Short mmCIF file of all heavy atoms in Angstrom, two decimals:
data_model
loop_
_atom_site.label_atom_id
_atom_site.label_comp_id
_atom_site.label_asym_id
_atom_site.label_seq_id
_atom_site.Cartn_x
_atom_site.Cartn_y
_atom_site.Cartn_z
N LYS A 1 0.84 -1.18 0.00
CA LYS A 1 0.00 0.00 0.00
C LYS A 1 0.89 1.24 0.00
O LYS A 1 1.95 1.25 0.65
CB LYS A 1 -0.90 0.02 1.23
CG LYS A 1 -1.93 -1.10 1.27
CD LYS A 1 -2.80 -0.98 2.52
CE LYS A 1 -3.84 -2.08 2.56
NZ LYS A 1 -4.69 -1.99 3.78
N GLY A 2 0.43 2.27 -0.69
CA GLY A 2 1.20 3.50 -0.67
C GLY A 2 0.97 4.34 -1.90
O GLY A 2 0.11 4.05 -2.74
N PHE A 3 1.76 5.40 -2.01
CA PHE A 3 1.65 6.32 -3.15
C PHE A 3 2.95 7.10 -3.26
O PHE A 3 3.79 7.10 -2.36
CB PHE A 3 0.46 7.27 -2.99
CG PHE A 3 0.50 8.11 -1.73
CD1 PHE A 3 1.10 9.36 -1.72
CD2 PHE A 3 -0.07 7.64 -0.55
CE1 PHE A 3 1.13 10.13 -0.57
CE2 PHE A 3 -0.04 8.41 0.61
CZ PHE A 3 0.56 9.65 0.60
N GLN A 4 3.11 7.76 -4.40
CA GLN A 4 4.31 8.53 -4.67
C GLN A 4 4.00 10.03 -4.61
O GLN A 4 2.91 10.46 -4.98
CB GLN A 4 4.86 8.18 -6.05
CG GLN A 4 6.22 8.79 -6.37
CD GLN A 4 6.74 8.34 -7.72
OE1 GLN A 4 6.33 8.87 -8.74
NE2 GLN A 4 7.63 7.34 -7.71
N VAL A 5 4.98 10.79 -4.13
CA VAL A 5 4.90 12.25 -4.15
C VAL A 5 6.06 12.77 -4.99
O VAL A 5 7.22 12.45 -4.73
CB VAL A 5 4.98 12.85 -2.73
CG1 VAL A 5 4.98 14.38 -2.81
CG2 VAL A 5 3.82 12.37 -1.87
N LEU A 6 5.73 13.58 -6.00
CA LEU A 6 6.73 14.22 -6.84
C LEU A 6 6.72 15.71 -6.52
O LEU A 6 5.72 16.40 -6.73
CB LEU A 6 6.43 13.99 -8.31
CG LEU A 6 7.34 14.74 -9.31
CD1 LEU A 6 8.79 14.30 -9.15
CD2 LEU A 6 6.86 14.50 -10.74
N TYR A 7 7.84 16.21 -5.99
CA TYR A 7 7.95 17.62 -5.65
C TYR A 7 9.06 18.26 -6.49
O TYR A 7 10.16 17.71 -6.60
CB TYR A 7 8.31 17.80 -4.16
CG TYR A 7 8.53 19.26 -3.81
CD1 TYR A 7 7.45 20.06 -3.44
CD2 TYR A 7 9.78 19.84 -3.91
CE1 TYR A 7 7.62 21.41 -3.17
CE2 TYR A 7 9.97 21.19 -3.62
CZ TYR A 7 8.89 21.96 -3.26
OH TYR A 7 9.06 23.30 -3.00
N SER A 8 8.76 19.40 -7.10
CA SER A 8 9.80 20.11 -7.85
C SER A 8 9.66 21.61 -7.63
O SER A 8 8.56 22.13 -7.43
CB SER A 8 9.70 19.79 -9.35
OG SER A 8 8.48 20.28 -9.89
N SER A 9 10.81 22.28 -7.66
CA SER A 9 10.82 23.73 -7.42
C SER A 9 12.00 24.35 -8.14
O SER A 9 13.10 23.79 -8.19
CB SER A 9 10.94 24.01 -5.92
OG SER A 9 11.01 25.40 -5.66
N ARG A 10 11.76 25.51 -8.74
CA ARG A 10 12.84 26.26 -9.36
C ARG A 10 12.65 27.74 -9.06
O ARG A 10 11.52 28.23 -8.92
CB ARG A 10 12.91 26.01 -10.87
CG ARG A 10 11.66 26.37 -11.63
CD ARG A 10 11.82 26.08 -13.12
NE ARG A 10 10.57 26.34 -13.83
CZ ARG A 10 9.63 25.43 -14.06
NH1 ARG A 10 9.83 24.17 -13.66
NH2 ARG A 10 8.52 25.74 -14.69
N MET A 11 13.76 28.46 -9.00
CA MET A 11 13.75 29.87 -8.62
C MET A 11 14.05 30.79 -9.80
O MET A 11 14.24 32.00 -9.62
CB MET A 11 14.77 30.13 -7.52
CG MET A 11 14.58 29.29 -6.28
SD MET A 11 15.79 29.64 -4.98
CE MET A 11 15.26 31.27 -4.43
N HIS A 12 14.07 30.24 -11.05
CA HIS A 12 14.53 31.00 -12.20
C HIS A 12 13.56 30.99 -13.36
O HIS A 12 13.87 31.52 -14.44
CB HIS A 12 15.89 30.46 -12.66
CG HIS A 12 15.92 28.96 -12.77
ND1 HIS A 12 15.39 28.28 -13.83
CD2 HIS A 12 16.37 28.02 -11.90
CE1 HIS A 12 15.54 26.98 -13.62
NE2 HIS A 12 16.14 26.80 -12.46
N ASN A 13 12.41 30.38 -13.19
CA ASN A 13 11.36 30.40 -14.21
C ASN A 13 10.05 30.04 -13.51
O ASN A 13 9.95 28.96 -12.92
CB ASN A 13 11.66 29.42 -15.35
CG ASN A 13 10.65 29.53 -16.48
OD1 ASN A 13 9.47 29.33 -16.29
ND2 ASN A 13 11.14 29.85 -17.67
N GLU A 14 9.07 30.93 -13.58
CA GLU A 14 7.87 30.74 -12.77
C GLU A 14 6.76 29.97 -13.48
O GLU A 14 5.66 29.80 -12.93
CB GLU A 14 7.33 32.09 -12.32
CG GLU A 14 6.83 32.98 -13.46
CD GLU A 14 6.38 34.34 -12.97
OE1 GLU A 14 6.61 34.66 -11.78
OE2 GLU A 14 5.81 35.09 -13.77
N ALA A 15 7.02 29.48 -14.70
CA ALA A 15 5.99 28.73 -15.42
C ALA A 15 5.53 27.55 -14.57
O ALA A 15 6.32 26.82 -13.99
CB ALA A 15 6.55 28.22 -16.74
N GLY A 16 4.23 27.37 -14.49
CA GLY A 16 3.67 26.30 -13.65
C GLY A 16 3.30 26.75 -12.27
O GLY A 16 2.44 26.14 -11.63
N GLY A 17 3.94 27.82 -11.79
CA GLY A 17 3.57 28.41 -10.50
C GLY A 17 3.59 27.42 -9.35
O GLY A 17 4.40 26.50 -9.30
N THR A 18 2.68 27.64 -8.41
CA THR A 18 2.56 26.78 -7.23
C THR A 18 1.35 25.87 -7.42
O THR A 18 0.23 26.36 -7.55
CB THR A 18 2.39 27.61 -5.96
OG1 THR A 18 3.49 28.52 -5.86
CG2 THR A 18 2.35 26.73 -4.73
N LYS A 19 1.58 24.57 -7.44
CA LYS A 19 0.50 23.61 -7.70
C LYS A 19 0.52 22.50 -6.65
O LYS A 19 1.59 22.11 -6.17
CB LYS A 19 0.66 22.96 -9.08
CG LYS A 19 0.79 23.95 -10.23
CD LYS A 19 -0.47 24.75 -10.46
CE LYS A 19 -0.32 25.67 -11.68
NZ LYS A 19 -1.48 26.58 -11.83
N GLU A 20 -0.68 22.00 -6.35
CA GLU A 20 -0.83 20.83 -5.47
C GLU A 20 -1.95 19.97 -6.03
O GLU A 20 -3.12 20.35 -5.96
CB GLU A 20 -1.15 21.25 -4.03
CG GLU A 20 0.01 21.96 -3.35
CD GLU A 20 -0.36 22.46 -1.96
OE1 GLU A 20 -0.67 21.62 -1.10
OE2 GLU A 20 -0.36 23.68 -1.75
N TYR A 21 -1.58 18.85 -6.59
CA TYR A 21 -2.54 17.93 -7.21
C TYR A 21 -2.51 16.60 -6.47
O TYR A 21 -1.45 15.98 -6.35
CB TYR A 21 -2.19 17.67 -8.68
CG TYR A 21 -2.17 18.90 -9.57
CD1 TYR A 21 -1.34 18.94 -10.68
CD2 TYR A 21 -2.98 20.01 -9.31
CE1 TYR A 21 -1.31 20.05 -11.52
CE2 TYR A 21 -2.95 21.12 -10.13
CZ TYR A 21 -2.12 21.14 -11.24
OH TYR A 21 -2.09 22.24 -12.06
N TYR A 22 -3.67 16.17 -6.00
CA TYR A 22 -3.84 14.85 -5.40
C TYR A 22 -4.63 13.98 -6.36
O TYR A 22 -5.69 14.38 -6.83
CB TYR A 22 -4.57 14.96 -4.05
CG TYR A 22 -3.68 15.40 -2.92
CD1 TYR A 22 -3.32 16.73 -2.77
CD2 TYR A 22 -3.16 14.47 -2.02
CE1 TYR A 22 -2.47 17.14 -1.73
CE2 TYR A 22 -2.32 14.87 -0.99
CZ TYR A 22 -1.98 16.20 -0.85
OH TYR A 22 -1.14 16.59 0.17
N TYR A 23 -4.10 12.78 -6.64
CA TYR A 23 -4.73 11.87 -7.57
C TYR A 23 -5.19 10.60 -6.87
O TYR A 23 -4.52 10.10 -5.97
CB TYR A 23 -3.74 11.45 -8.67
CG TYR A 23 -3.23 12.60 -9.53
CD1 TYR A 23 -1.99 13.17 -9.27
CD2 TYR A 23 -3.98 13.08 -10.59
CE1 TYR A 23 -1.51 14.20 -10.05
CE2 TYR A 23 -3.51 14.12 -11.38
CZ TYR A 23 -2.27 14.68 -11.11
OH TYR A 23 -1.80 15.72 -11.87
N SER A 24 -6.34 10.09 -7.32
CA SER A 24 -6.76 8.73 -7.01
C SER A 24 -7.16 8.08 -8.32
O SER A 24 -7.13 8.73 -9.38
CB SER A 24 -7.95 8.73 -6.04
OG SER A 24 -9.14 9.13 -6.69
N ASN A 25 -7.54 6.83 -8.28
CA ASN A 25 -7.96 6.14 -9.49
C ASN A 25 -9.25 6.74 -10.06
O ASN A 25 -9.58 6.54 -11.21
CB ASN A 25 -8.16 4.65 -9.18
CG ASN A 25 -8.42 3.84 -10.42
OD1 ASN A 25 -9.46 3.22 -10.55
ND2 ASN A 25 -7.49 3.85 -11.36
N GLY A 26 -9.96 7.51 -9.21
CA GLY A 26 -11.25 8.07 -9.65
C GLY A 26 -11.18 9.50 -10.15
O GLY A 26 -12.16 10.01 -10.70
N GLY A 27 -10.03 10.20 -9.97
CA GLY A 27 -9.96 11.59 -10.41
C GLY A 27 -8.90 12.35 -9.64
O GLY A 27 -7.89 11.77 -9.22
N MET A 28 -9.14 13.64 -9.41
CA MET A 28 -8.11 14.45 -8.78
C MET A 28 -8.69 15.59 -7.95
O MET A 28 -9.82 16.03 -8.15
CB MET A 28 -7.17 15.02 -9.84
CG MET A 28 -7.79 16.04 -10.76
SD MET A 28 -6.62 16.71 -12.00
CE MET A 28 -5.52 17.66 -10.96
#
């Protein structure tokens, strides 16, 4: 049982901004 967390951050290009997405098999 478990899940993965992918975290990324950069200080030199703001494309994508600040996002937090939680996924399940049924949606997000």
Side-chain angles (χ1 to χ4, degrees):
K1 294 181 179 179
F3 58 91
Q4 188 177 80
V5 176
L6 174 61
Y7 176 87
S8 65
S9 177
R10 59 180 176 268
M11 303 181 71
H12 47 79
N13 186 299
E14 66 184 9
T18 304
K19 306 294 183 187
E20 292 176 63
Y21 300 151
Y22 280 79
Y23 298 99
S24 73
N25 188 241
M28 67 180 291

